[in-house]
Amino acid sequence: MAGLKQDRALKTREAILRAAAETFDELGFHGASISMIMGRAGVTQGGMYFHFKSKQDLARCVMLAQRDYVQLPPGEDGLQRLIDITFHVGRELQENVLFRAGVRLAVEQGEFGLQDDTAYQQWVEQFHGLLLVARERGELLPGVDEREFAQVLVGAYSGTQLFSQIATGRTDLPQRIAALWKYLLPCIATPRTLAQLRATPEPRRPGTP
């Protein structure tokens, strides 16, 4: 019996998070309301406040869970996989409402009283790990600091996707990511590695959505 209750509670929490993400993605933090989220999730007020004590708490959970909503593509670690991940994340921003809402809330978090860089730091750590492997493989120029570049990349990527969102609703995001790499790669990759890298969006395989 306890297991069934726990399973129901978990499903209710997931339904609330999905409904909240969809609502925040459409309307932003201020435009969304608890009643809208409850209606979309199909839960009662008691069910809502059992899991989340406020709209701010709910927004923070959606924001910090953004990495949970993205399954990164497989591949051999190094510079090429780092590039591939940036294009994959760009596609997720176009198509994955749960992830997109978390990214939007990370930008808007000042509106609900937060100053939390956890979501950004998670991406820094992900990229830093790939850059350390790239260093071991001899792919990076001697003067490149792996952690510093990971921070630069997260900052540049965040600005690029936000500019794309405002300008075109992210329809041109793959082209903007390609332009980003066009100028960044010569500054970090050895000439031999640079000649071998593909810094354009990978065509979708037949049968993939």
Side-chain angles (χ1 to χ4, degrees):
M1 181 64 72
L4 289 174
K5 288 183 178 179
Q6 187 176 20
D7 187 54
R8 283 198 299 269
L10 181 60
K11 288 180 178 178
T12 299
R13 189 177 190 277
E14 290 174 350
I16 294 170
L17 280 173
R18 173 173 287 275
E22 292 172 350
T23 308
F24 288 135
D25 179 56
E26 292 172 9
L27 302 171
F29 178 78
H30 280 309
S33 70
I34 286 290
S35 60
M36 290 177 187
I37 295 168
M38 285 168 48
R40 178 169 270 172
V43 300
T44 64
Q45 190 174 53
M48 170 66 75
Y49 288 107
F50 175 80
H51 293 282
F52 302 99
K53 58 187 178 183
S54 65
K55 189 171 78 165
Q56 287 85 349
D57 181 41
L58 185 51
R60 182 177 184 275
C61 288
V62 172
M63 181 182 78
L64 295 182
Q66 61 177 264
R67 281 284 307 278
D68 297 337
Y69 301 139
V70 177
Q71 183 175 357
L72 297 181
E76 187 176 3
D77 284 353
L79 266 185
Q80 185 61 65
R81 184 159 188 252
L82 175 60
I83 295 166
D84 291 344
I85 285 174
T86 63
F87 283 111
H88 178 78
V89 169
R91 183 176 295 173
E92 291 291 299
L93 282 166
Q94 292 175 323
E95 301 174 356
N96 183 337
V97 64
L98 298 176
F99 176 56
R100 192 166 60 234
V103 170
R104 175 170 182 167
L105 290 169
V107 173
E108 296 181 354
Q109 61 179 288
E111 297 181 16
F112 50 98
L114 282 185
Q115 187 176 348
D116 189 336
D117 69 347
T118 300
Y120 296 102
Q121 293 295 349
Q122 287 174 341
W123 287 111
V124 168
E125 291 303 318
Q126 177 76 47
F127 293 168
H128 180 232
L130 294 170
L131 288 162
L132 288 176
V133 175
R135 171 66 68 198
E136 293 173 0
R137 291 162 56 109
E139 296 177 343
L140 299 179
L141 292 170
V144 176
D145 182 290
E146 297 86 5
R147 179 166 294 279
E148 183 177 50
F149 180 71
Q151 294 171 341
V152 168
L153 180 57
V154 170
Y157 191 94
S158 297
T160 295
Q161 71 84 16
L162 183 58
F163 192 178
S164 177
Q165 163 63 18
I166 294 169
T168 68
R170 295 197 183 96
T171 59
D172 68 347
L173 184 53
Q175 291 73 35
R176 289 178 184 262
I177 296 170
L180 186 68
W181 283 118
K182 176 183 176 181
Y183 293 100
L184 288 180
L185 279 176
C187 298
I188 66 165
T190 64
R192 179 179 179 182
T193 300
L194 190 60
Q196 298 171 344
L197 293 173
R198 177 187 52 77
T200 55
E202 187 175 4
R204 296 194 184 194
R205 298 175 182 176
T208 59

